[in-house]
Amino acid sequence: PQARAGAAAPLKRARSACACVYMLRLLLASDVHDDTSAIEALRAWLSSHDLLGKLDAVLCPGDLTTAPAASLDAEEEARYEAAAQRVLDGLGSLAPRLVFSPGNHDPPRFFSGFGGGNSSASTSNAHARSLSLAPGLWLAGWGGSATATEEGVPVWPGWPLSEDENAAGYAQLQRALRGGGSAGASFDGP
């Protein structure tokens, strides 16, 4: 893959006598919940540690916003989508590639592959997909949440998918990964 001018190369390849080794610099950023100031603090930290511009990708396993686990009217959903896009834009500015999966506090439309179109990074919504991060390295994504329980008592409903939908989705991803392929569309980098 080719890197944009001034950006770090998406993969660093080191040769040894036996095989090729791909080394990735990944940043995992989760549960931002609309707090773009936290992304700016992260940018400052990366800069102070001479890591800004040296990451290969940012991975975000969800909760970009604080959307409630409930149906939203069109105006509310648009507001949460805009907030999620601001978070994606901020995270996407940290690396040439951003891979995210929507969480249980993210807008329902993100579970149909929506999101990330305006980010400066090459952005992929990983919900219900497996994505190639490097040769032989795959990431499988499934967004939302299962019902949370404490001592067998439900304390938070699964959202936005039912337990049956979650189980079927997990099974589809597992079958695809065991077979060496991808579920849904694959993404092979910028």
Side-chain angles (χ1 to χ4, degrees):
Q2 295 181 353
R4 292 188 305 264
L11 294 174
K12 277 82 174 172
R13 186 173 170 176
R15 291 202 181 264
S16 69
C18 300
C20 293
V21 176
Y22 292 90
M23 299 182 330
L24 295 173
R25 284 192 177 197
L26 303 173
L27 172 68
L28 180 67
S30 175
D31 295 273
V32 178
H33 292 287
D34 303 315
D35 189 0
T36 54
S37 66
I39 297 170
E40 292 311 310
L42 181 56
R43 177 187 314 287
W45 185 90
L46 290 167
S47 182
S48 71
H49 288 79
D50 195 31
L51 292 170
L52 198 57
K54 295 181 179 176
L55 297 173
D56 296 302
V58 174
L59 307 179
C60 181
D63 286 357
L64 306 167
T65 70
T66 56
S71 295
L72 304 172
D73 65 33
E75 184 178 317
E76 289 175 309
E77 186 154 344
R79 190 175 78 242
Y80 285 112
E81 286 174 5
Q85 189 61 56
R86 285 189 296 275
V87 170
L88 290 173
D89 289 344
L91 292 173
S93 70
L94 301 175
R97 184 170 180 195
L98 169 64
V99 177
F100 77 97
S101 188
N104 62 319
H105 287 287
D106 293 325
R109 195 158 67 137
F110 279 55
F111 291 86
S112 62
F114 178 78
N118 297 327
S119 177
S120 61
S122 179
T123 302
S124 297
N125 182 337
H127 176 68
R129 298 172 65 197
S130 59
L131 308 170
S132 174
L133 295 179
L137 178 62
W138 291 79
L139 178 142
W142 191 262
S145 70
T147 300
T149 61
E150 290 180 7
E151 298 179 16
V153 178
V155 294
W156 182 266
W159 180 258
L161 305 168
S162 70
E163 296 300 309
D164 289 342
E165 290 169 312
N166 280 327
Y170 295 148
Q172 177 188 2
L173 285 172
Q174 288 174 341
R175 280 191 306 275
L177 291 172
R178 269 192 239 107
S182 66
S186 66
F187 176 81
D188 294 317

